[in-house]
Amino acid sequence: MHVSPRASRPTIHDVARVAGVSRGTVSRAINGDAYVSAAALAAVQRAVAETGYVVNRAARSLVTRQTGSVLMVLSEPQEKLFEDPNYSTLMRVAMRRLAERDISLVMMLSGNDGDRDRVVRYVRGGHCDGVLLVTTHSGDPLLDELSRQHIPAVTCGEIPGGRHQVPFAAADDRGGAQRMTQYLADSGRRRIATITGPLDTPGGLLRLEGFCDVLGRKATKKLIAYGDWTRRSGELAMTELLARSPDLDAVFVGNDLMAAGALAALRAAGRRVPEDVAVAGFDDSSVAMSTHPLLTTMRQPLEQVAEETVRLLLELIDGSEAVDSVVLPTELIVRESA
C-alpha cells in the first residue's frame, strides 16, 4: 500500500485494510491477544511494516492498562551518575532488555527531598508499569510509597534492615568481602584496614560485615573509615586512616572509585603500593584498569545482576505474585596493587 505524502500518519484502519482483517483483529494482535490466529498475526505484522504504522501508546494503555515504560530510580546525587561507571552499565543493560519488549526506560534521581517528591508524584500519576531501584538506602520513604501504590518494584542489592521485602538481584557482597580480606591476610598483611561505602546501602554494610567476619577483633574502629562511593571520599578516608594507624600495611576498599582515591592519598604520603601498603577494591569496573598500579579487586557480575533485575521486574509486571531474589557469585581478580 502507498500512503500519500499528504495523508496523516498511518492508522490502525490502514493496517486492517492492508492485512485484510478487521480493525478488532489488528487491535488484538498488537496487544498480544492469545486468540489471534498465526495467519492473522503474520498478516498484521506485514501490514504494520508496509504501512509504517506506529502503535499509539496512550491508546494501547487504555486497553492493556500498561504504560509501556519502566522507571529507574537512582537514590544518589546527580554527580555520582556520571562518575561511577557501574551506573552506565546498569542503564545500558536495562535499556537493551526492556527494548526487546518494546518498553521504554525512564531515569529519575531521588538524591534529595525535592527529587524524591518528583519521583513520588510520577509514580502516583500512574506513568510507569514498574520501578527499578538502584543504590537504595534503608529507610528511604520511597519504599513505603511504592508499597502503598502496589506497583511492581525490584532493587539492585538487598535493602538493609529487612523492613521492606522487595525482590532484588545482587552480587554476593559479604562473601566477596570475606574472600578479599582473607586474600590480604594470607598474603602476609598484618594490619588491614577498610574503607566502606555508606552503611545504609547494601554494598556498604555487607562488605564491612564480610571484612569483620574474617578479622574478628582485629577489625578495630581505628582501622575502619567511611566513604560515599566517590573517588574523593576514598582519598579523604585513606588520609584519615594513615593518620590514625600509620603502621597499616593493607586496605580493602568498598569500591574501585574509592580505591583510586586511596591510591592517590598513599602516593601523596610517600607510601609505595604494594610494597608498603596493599590496596584492593571491589567491582572490577573500568576504573580498576586505569589506576597505577593496576587494581586488585573483587569482580561482581554487574551485567548479569542488571539482567536478573530486569527479568524479576518483568515477571512481576506480567502478573507473577512473587519472585525469588538472586545472589550471584563474585570473583577475585589479582593485579599489581595487592
Side-chain angles (χ1 to χ4, degrees):
M1 172 186 174
H2 175 71
V3 180
S4 168
R6 292 178 297 173
S8 60
R9 66 183 184 179
T11 69
I12 195 170
H13 300 285
D14 298 321
V15 175
R17 186 164 55 252
V18 172
V21 299
S22 70
R23 180 185 179 281
T25 298
V26 174
S27 178
R28 288 193 295 274
I30 289 173
N31 290 306
D33 194 307
Y35 295 101
V36 177
S37 70
L41 179 60
V44 170
Q45 290 173 336
R46 284 195 300 271
V48 167
E50 184 177 339
T51 61
Y53 175 71
V54 177
V55 176
N56 184 322
R57 287 191 178 276
R60 187 169 70 175
S61 68
L62 294 176
V63 178
T64 65
R65 297 186 181 276
Q66 291 188 340
T67 66
S69 68
V70 160
L71 177 63
M72 176 182 279
V73 180
L74 175 64
S75 303
E76 300 290 349
Q78 181 176 346
E79 56 270 17
K80 291 189 182 180
L81 175 63
F82 300 100
E83 182 182 16
D84 193 328
N86 288 343
Y87 298 140
S88 63
T89 299
L90 292 170
M91 285 188 288
R92 172 172 50 80
V93 173
M95 289 176 66
R96 186 187 71 238
R97 288 283 287 110
L98 292 171
E100 295 170 1
R101 288 275 300 268
D102 195 25
I103 296 174
S104 301
L105 181 68
V106 178
M107 178 75 189
M108 296 184 75
L109 303 177
S110 64
N112 57 49
D113 290 341
D115 289 341
R116 193 176 298 110
D117 288 343
R118 280 186 286 275
V119 172
V120 168
R121 290 197 300 271
Y122 190 86
V123 171
R124 284 178 178 170
H127 300 301
C128 60
D129 300 322
V131 179
L132 197 162
L133 297 157
V134 182
T135 63
T136 305
H137 298 254
S138 60
D140 189 335
L142 179 59
L143 295 168
D144 293 322
E145 182 64 28
L146 293 176
S147 178
R148 283 192 291 268
Q149 296 296 321
H150 302 289
I151 187 167
V154 298
T155 66
C156 285
E158 182 179 5
I159 299 173
R163 177 185 164 199
H164 296 94
Q165 301 300 317
V166 181
F168 66 90
D172 184 4
D173 290 305
R174 187 166 185 164
Q178 289 171 348
R179 188 175 178 191
M180 181 61 81
T181 307
Q182 190 64 58
Y183 168 76
L184 293 173
D186 291 344
S187 299
R189 306 292 171 164
R190 294 291 175 261
R191 189 79 167 154
I192 305 173
T194 189
I195 297 172
T196 81
L199 297 188
D200 61 348
T201 63
L205 179 61
L206 293 173
R207 293 171 198 176
L208 173 60
E209 289 178 345
F211 173 82
C212 294
D213 289 341
V214 173
L215 293 185
R217 291 184 177 182
K218 293 182 180 179
T220 64
K221 291 182 178 180
K222 289 181 64 176
L223 292 171
I224 300 173
Y226 305 94
D228 62 6
W229 301 130
T230 63
R231 185 188 304 259
R232 178 58 176 164
S233 74
E235 186 173 356
L236 293 173
M238 189 72 246
T239 301
E240 178 185 336
L241 285 171
L242 289 172
R244 291 202 310 241
S245 303
D247 59 339
L248 65 85
D249 59 3
V251 57
F252 164 51
V253 190
N255 76 343
D256 293 345
L257 263 177
M258 294 193 299
L263 287 169
L266 288 166
R267 281 195 299 272
R271 302 295 182 92
R272 298 171 302 165
V273 176
E275 293 85 356
D276 300 328
V277 180
V279 177
F282 201 109
D283 285 339
D284 196 30
S285 66
S286 57
V287 174
M289 291 298 292
S290 65
T291 60
H292 181 72
L294 298 180
L295 188 63
T296 290
T297 187
M298 188 59 64
R299 176 180 294 164
Q300 60 167 323
L302 195 60
E303 293 207 7
Q304 193 176 354
V305 168
E307 292 269 2
E308 289 296 314
T309 304
V310 174
R311 179 185 64 81
L312 294 176
L313 183 58
L314 289 175
E315 288 186 10
L316 290 174
I317 291 173
D318 289 341
S320 295
E321 293 186 3
V323 295
D324 293 327
S325 297
V326 178
V327 177
L328 299 166
T330 56
E331 179 185 0
L332 175 64
I333 304 298
V334 177
R335 298 194 180 99
E336 301 167 358
S337 69

